[in-house]
Amino acid sequence: MIWIQYLVFGVGIGAMFSLLAAGIVLVYRASGVLNFAHASTGVLATYVNFELLERYEWMPVWVALLGALATGALTAVVVQRLVFAPLREASQVTKLLVSFGVAGAIQGVIGLVWSRLGTPALEKSLFPIQRSVNIAGARVPYQRIALIVFGIAVTVALTWLMQRTSFGIQVRALAQNRLAARLAGINEARIEASTWALAGATAALAGVMLIPFGVLNPLSLMGVQLKALAVALVGGFVSLPAALVGGLGLGTAQELIAGAPAPFNGLSGALATALVVVLLLTKVERFFVSEQEARAIQGEARSFGAGRGSVMVGTGRGWLAGFAVVALAVSLVSGFWAFVTARTLVYALLGLSLVVLTGWSGQVSLMPGTFAGVGACLSWVLSERLGYPFGLVLPLAALATVPLCALAGFVALRLRPLYLAVATIALAGLFEETLFRQDWFANGGRPMTVARPGFLEGDHAFALATVAVVALLFAFTALLARSRTGRALWMVRDNPQAAAAAGVNPLKYRLAAFGLSAFYAGMAGVLFAYLLETFSSAAFGFLILSLAAFGLAVVGGIRSPLGPAIGAFGFVFLTEVFRSSGTVSDWSAVGLGVGLVVVLARDPDGVTGLLSRLAGRWRVGGPAGDEEVGVVDLDELASAVRTQEAAHV
Amino acid sequence: MSRPVLSVRNVRVSFGGLAALDDVSIDVVPGEVVGIIGPNGAGKSTLLNVVSGFVEPQSGEVRLEGREITGLLPYRRARLGIARSFQDARLFPAMTVRETLLGAFHERFTSGMFSEGLGAPLAREQEDAAQGAIDALLHLVDLHPYLDHRVSDLSFGTTRALEMAALAARRPRLLLLDEPASGLQQSEVAVMGDLIHRLRGGAATVVIDHDVPFVAALSDRLVAMDLGRVVAVGRPDEVLAAPAVIDSYLGGAAPVAAGGER
Ligand SMILES: Nc1ncnc2c1ncn2[C@@H]1O[C@H](COP(=O)(O)OP(=O)(O)OP(=O)(O)O)[C@@H](O)[C@H]1O
Ligand SMILES: [Mg+2]
């Protein structure tokens, strides 16, 4: 009766998906924020819970649980007040990205605090793991049953709260028509804060109950949250009953497949994620959209926020000259620093792929790391399995990344911005659970080794090669920015309808942006593979690489190639410079997270935007980004037109 | 009469149950300026959307110089020589005036992504040619002082002028203007009329506006619409005197009086 055990496990996990999804739905309804920091809130609360239990031996578990719930609620409210309240008018995509920053910051803080205290033990759980009951011959721990009972009960209670109480009605009124709700005397601030508090507490509950089955670290629950996001999507991020059913269904299916005989059980994660992707594409935005809808989606602007001034792009020659200086520096420093420089450049290239895709074509994709992983795995396949030399692997692996990633592009063309962002997260997961675990493609997830060619064996030589490749691609990008292609991308980003009316094909340029960014990211992956020489596909996970690349590109300034260059220097190179203790990476996580929040909230052009404005102030007579211009109206224009005419006659 | 540049035949469009266009037919002959007037929701913008490809009619057809273009995507129609402005005049907020004008030459380039990214001579020549073409354009509309300003920083009137310049740069066969004078001050409206004449370069033109005297002065013919139908067509003075037109404006007040004197 082993399957009963799997069933109970599945329903339990599913109930936790539902519970987390319910919190996400609540917050989305009240504030329009798809909160990626939801899980991190729960993880922080879980740390507090077990810290309390470890520190105060006498403390009953339920008191510690109360402490955790309070921590979750308080964290959520602080985040809402501090970060999201000022962002009310921002686009949903911007809010999602900001929540990534918040998640990173919370994870960094957890790392900083508990690297001092030491990770608390997970021994004293709410329900002792050892005790269990027999159900039809299967041994089922109490704790598994508790997951089911608490998960379902709390989700149902939240549903009741939203549908039957005056509080729920007020939240729904806010979601439907903010202005009208305000006019009707609903206290927006209080309702929002209470909703966030409630959601934070449920995240804490999920963390305290679920994490003891795994390990406690700052990234706990992140994988679970990805599934919870998909579950929330079943009901379009607004329906709690749909989240309940979706969560239970997904959890059950996942565990039952895991319990299936040998060839099938491996599909557990993959099948569940595949289900998620299909669900995402069919339920919320139909994959095969009608002509009418295609026109409508084609016409939707994709800016996630424009900066305040024009940005520096640099010239092709300028970039080549700059990188020549880097090459000179590389040949002067030690092998270690040459290695660090090369690593920095790989991150910069990954960020550059986002400049083209997100900064220029306005499409928020969270899978640059995945694309890089494809490039890295392909270079292993080509070099180790097929025996191709480095000189062929480098271009081929990067090029082959493009068609593999075109899948994402085709999906992207059919989705609205917020769903695109979510879809790319799901697709990243799909790649990780399928392709990145194949024996033939990724050595089954085990370490892969590629050998640098003889003339590039040393770190100096390889770093110089990296500088050369990256320099060419940066120069290429800078030239594009001053050409028809760059302008067409911006036109499509800013106003797709006006772009189409000017003869620009929006679909073509959106797809081209995906292709180019896949090539850049794939190339970054190839370089990364040869730089590390031994690597595994896990290094290219969404949570590990994509978020870092996204964060550094945004903080540096995502509309200019200078952005990822600055971002990579700050977050990869300087982190290495200041590495004196183990906490430096936590500090940089906090820095990246806070930076992301600040940049997105204040000026999407990031550090580059700031530099541009400073430079503008320096240059006398040059356009300054900030000031309003155009006090001169048509009147004056007309007189200008007339004088010129007179001059011509 | 010469062959029409634009010929719209029996077009019907409905959104849900609402008939936005109900059996509308319109011809525009070469060199002609046709004005469209009508109250809010009459279907004027929808008609432009049908012609430029942003809305597909449920029935009826659209021909450009005899060629059927119904069903073509907007960018394809643009390349066949249709240029249009939008009622919102948003343009490309994060781009500069210079970039916007260069963008208007998009379809004239033959260079592709790779020749541009690699700085190939072909791409550079075309870029230089486009820069030169902009200079010629700037002789007609003096946007010099704003070249490096972002569109979102421009005043409304300047944005409209930029929009007109970008449209003219494409040398269209058919120019469609959706409320070019809306939001302008009265003094600017007269200038806009001048500007349209100067920039359209003889292209067949359709102008929508609520400022009836402005449209009437600009147009060779007027089309009056109401509730998705054409209620009158003809010389401006005839149309403005037509009972159906007078009815649809302000409970019977004559549109000329409603629009103010000119
Ligand atoms: N995409 C759409 N979806 C649904 N209804 C629409 C759409 N576009 C237009 N309509 C409706 O069709 C009718 C005609 O609209 P249209 O914009 O063509 O009017 P208009 O004559 O341009 O008015 P205005 O002078 O206010 O610009 C209106 O009732 C409008 O609400
Ligand atoms: Mg209109």
Side-chain angles (χ1 to χ4, degrees):
Chain A
M1 286 294 104
I2 189 79
W3 67 270
I4 289 205
Q5 205 164 1
Y6 281 112
L7 184 68
V8 173
F9 282 22
V11 176
I13 295 273
M16 288 297 113
F17 290 166
S18 298
L19 183 58
L20 279 171
I24 291 171
V25 166
L26 279 187
V27 161
Y28 183 74
R29 280 189 136 182
S31 308
V33 178
L34 194 54
N35 186 15
F36 200 80
H38 188 62
S40 305
T41 309
V43 175
L44 177 64
T46 307
Y47 268 94
V48 170
N49 182 74
F50 288 101
E51 185 65 36
L52 287 175
L53 287 175
E54 192 166 277
R55 203 164 269 242
Y56 309 106
E57 294 268 328
W58 48 267
M59 190 179 278
V61 282
W62 62 270
V63 175
L65 175 65
L66 282 183
L69 296 182
T71 308
L74 194 68
T75 311
V77 171
V78 168
V79 166
Q80 191 269 330
R81 295 270 80 191
L82 220 61
V83 178
F84 289 104
L87 279 177
R88 269 207 192 104
E89 311 304 324
S91 77
Q92 291 185 338
V93 175
T94 303
K95 292 178 190 166
L96 172 68
L97 298 177
V98 167
S99 80
F100 285 126
V102 174
I106 294 179
Q107 287 159 11
V109 167
I110 293 175
L112 284 176
V113 172
W114 276 278
S115 65
R116 300 249 165 81
L117 299 177
T119 307
L122 298 177
E123 276 150 19
K124 280 198 203 161
S125 297
L126 220 44
F127 299 88
I129 287 186
Q130 294 81 1
R131 294 230 213 116
S132 59
V133 290
N134 261 336
I135 301 178
R139 202 183 72 87
V140 177
Y142 278 153
Q143 213 174 359
R144 291 281 177 182
I145 296 175
L147 289 186
I148 301 177
V149 174
F150 275 71
I152 294 180
V154 175
T155 311
V156 168
L158 288 175
T159 312
W160 174 82
L161 186 74
M162 289 300 281
Q163 275 168 0
R164 291 291 141 90
T165 64
S166 119
F167 172 76
I169 291 169
Q170 295 186 48
V171 174
R172 272 155 52 204
L174 263 187
Q176 249 151 38
N177 190 338
R178 208 157 264 280
L179 193 64
R182 261 178 230 161
L183 292 177
I186 289 179
N187 187 342
E188 193 180 11
R190 229 187 56 215
I191 292 289
E192 270 190 295
S194 337
T195 314
W196 279 74
L198 204 55
T202 59
L205 181 64
V208 170
M209 296 193 62
L210 194 55
I211 290 177
F213 290 105
V215 291
L216 181 60
N217 66 35
L219 288 181
S220 305
L221 284 192
M222 290 306 268
V224 178
Q225 172 169 267
L226 291 184
K227 301 208 165 123
L229 268 177
V231 165
L233 191 69
V234 176
F237 298 132
V238 296
S239 163
L240 286 173
L244 182 61
V245 173
L248 294 178
L250 183 61
T252 313
Q254 179 181 307
E255 293 305 310
L256 284 182
I257 292 170
F264 302 107
N265 61 0
L267 294 174
S268 166
L271 212 70
T273 326
L275 201 74
V276 165
V277 173
V278 171
L279 202 83
L280 193 94
L281 296 175
T282 50
K283 174 83 188 186
V284 177
E285 296 278 345
R286 265 138 299 156
F287 187 66
F288 300 104
V289 286
S290 69
E291 180 79 353
Q292 185 94 21
E293 286 170 300
R295 274 171 211 274
I297 293 173
Q298 235 193 81
E300 198 168 346
R302 304 225 159 181
S303 289
F304 69 89
R308 281 193 263 160
S310 44
V311 288
M312 294 184 274
V313 172
T315 60
R317 286 209 185 86
W319 278 105
L320 291 181
F323 278 107
V325 175
V326 175
L328 190 69
V330 164
S331 45
L332 294 178
V333 296
S334 70
F336 173 75
W337 287 106
F339 181 91
V340 171
T341 306
R343 194 161 157 261
T344 307
L345 291 180
V346 168
Y347 273 87
L349 184 54
L350 208 51
L352 188 67
S353 81
L354 289 170
V355 168
V356 174
L357 188 60
T358 304
W360 290 2
S361 89
Q363 306 179 93
V364 174
S365 152
L366 295 161
M367 45 192 314
T370 313
F371 289 180
V374 170
C377 291
L378 279 170
S379 48
W380 175 74
V381 171
L382 290 176
S383 68
E384 299 308 305
R385 291 176 65 92
L386 301 177
Y388 286 23
F390 176 76
L392 270 180
V393 172
L394 187 70
L396 279 187
L399 277 177
T401 305
V402 176
L404 258 177
C405 297
L407 170 70
F410 279 113
V411 171
L413 298 181
R414 292 172 165 76
L415 293 175
R416 284 163 205 290
L418 182 68
Y419 294 138
L420 167 60
V422 175
T424 57
I425 299 175
L427 279 173
L430 186 65
F431 272 70
E432 281 167 39
E433 305 217 19
T434 55
L435 209 52
F436 285 5
R437 296 198 178 164
Q438 297 301 313
D439 284 333
W440 61 272
F441 190 77
N443 201 17
R446 293 178 297 277
M448 293 171 267
T449 304
V450 293
R452 292 181 197 161
F455 67 102
L456 293 177
E457 213 158 353
D459 280 341
H460 277 112
F462 192 77
L464 287 177
T466 306
V467 173
V469 173
V470 174
L472 284 179
L473 293 179
F474 267 84
F476 184 91
T477 314
L479 283 176
L480 273 193
R482 296 163 177 273
S483 74
R484 170 194 195 234
T485 303
R487 286 188 298 266
L489 286 170
W490 302 341
M491 288 163 83
V492 172
R493 172 196 67 193
D494 278 8
N495 189 345
Q497 296 204 318
V504 178
N505 179 358
L507 289 184
K508 175 182 156 183
Y509 281 95
R510 282 187 186 151
L511 205 51
F514 251 101
L516 196 60
S517 92
F519 179 79
Y520 287 2
M523 183 63 89
V526 180
L527 292 172
F528 212 19
Y530 278 94
L531 180 69
L532 298 174
E533 293 182 287
T534 301
F535 61 96
S536 72
S537 56
F540 299 93
F542 163 72
L543 296 169
I544 296 175
L545 196 53
S546 291
L547 284 184
F550 204 91
L552 66 84
V554 168
V555 172
I558 203 161
R559 286 202 300 151
S560 158
L562 208 56
I566 293 174
F569 180 76
F571 288 103
V572 183
F573 196 87
L574 287 188
T575 300
E576 210 60 59
V577 172
F578 292 117
R579 187 184 294 281
S580 49
S581 70
T583 59
V584 76
S585 63
D586 293 321
W587 276 114
S588 87
V590 175
L592 201 58
V594 172
L596 197 60
V597 171
V598 171
V599 164
L600 286 170
R602 295 192 53 89
D603 178 3
D605 282 327
V607 177
T608 313
L610 198 71
L611 291 179
S612 285
R613 280 201 297 282
L614 288 179
R617 221 157 277 162
W618 268 75
R619 232 179 311 140
V620 188
D626 262 345
E627 84 202 52
E628 278 284 316
V629 291
V631 276
V632 186
D633 273 356
L634 270 177
D635 275 342
E636 218 161 293
L637 273 180
S639 58
V641 172
R642 287 202 197 91
T643 19
Q644 290 196 347
E645 224 167 56
H648 274 94
V649 172
Chain B
M1 203 166 115
S2 56
R3 188 175 71 171
V5 178
L6 171 71
S7 158
V8 175
R9 285 278 155 271
N10 309 109
V11 161
R12 278 176 206 279
V13 172
S14 57
F15 298 107
L18 176 100
L21 290 180
D22 189 1
D23 198 21
V24 170
S25 301
I26 280 180
D27 280 332
V28 182
V29 299
E32 188 184 27
V33 179
V34 172
I36 302 185
I37 58 171
N40 290 110
K44 307 180 297 291
S45 296
T46 304
L47 180 60
L48 284 207
N49 284 338
V50 165
V51 173
S52 53
F54 290 97
V55 168
E56 212 40 48
Q58 271 95 34
S59 67
E61 61 172 36
V62 182
R63 286 178 182 276
L64 184 70
E65 296 187 330
R67 176 181 170 177
E68 163 128 32
I69 56 170
T70 333
L72 290 187
L73 284 171
Y75 81 95
R76 291 220 163 270
R77 300 192 199 199
R79 292 192 184 176
L80 293 175
I82 297 182
R84 70 161 292 179
S85 74
F86 289 85
Q87 203 169 332
D88 61 6
R90 217 162 53 85
L91 285 181
F92 308 105
M95 292 172 70
T96 64
V97 170
R98 187 195 301 277
E99 287 159 358
T100 305
L101 290 173
L102 285 172
F105 292 97
H106 181 82
E107 58 203 314
R108 305 248 199 100
F109 283 75
T110 53
S111 60
M113 191 165 82
F114 293 102
S115 59
E116 289 159 14
L118 296 173
L122 168 81
R124 263 183 290 161
E125 277 162 26
Q126 295 194 338
E127 187 74 15
D128 290 345
Q131 294 276 3
I134 288 191
D135 288 340
L137 210 58
L138 290 174
H139 281 301
L140 291 173
V141 190
D142 185 17
L143 291 165
H144 272 120
Y146 312 109
L147 271 182
D148 293 309
H149 287 297
R150 292 182 355 143
V151 171
S152 60
D153 293 339
L154 300 177
S155 75
F156 197 73
T158 313
T159 311
R160 285 277 187 209
L162 170 62
E163 185 175 37
M164 279 307 302
L167 292 176
R170 299 181 45 223
R171 295 183 189 284
R173 297 181 206 190
L174 177 64
L175 183 61
L176 310 171
L177 303 174
D178 198 346
E179 305 200 10
S182 81
L184 299 184
Q185 289 152 26
Q186 204 52 47
S187 57
E188 296 173 327
V189 171
V191 179
M192 181 48 89
D194 271 4
L195 205 63
I196 291 174
H197 260 308
R198 195 188 315 285
L199 287 178
R200 76 186 185 98
T205 305
V206 177
V207 186
I208 296 177
D209 214 286
H210 285 290
D211 186 336
V212 175
F214 164 76
V215 188
L218 205 60
S219 309
D220 303 313
R221 277 195 304 145
L222 271 192
V223 174
M225 293 180 67
D226 195 10
L227 300 173
R229 292 171 177 275
V230 174
V231 294
V233 187
R235 286 207 326 269
D237 51 337
E238 289 169 5
V239 168
L240 295 184
V245 179
I246 296 175
D247 270 357
S248 64
Y249 271 88
L250 296 177
V256 176
E261 64 176 77
R262 180 123 193 260

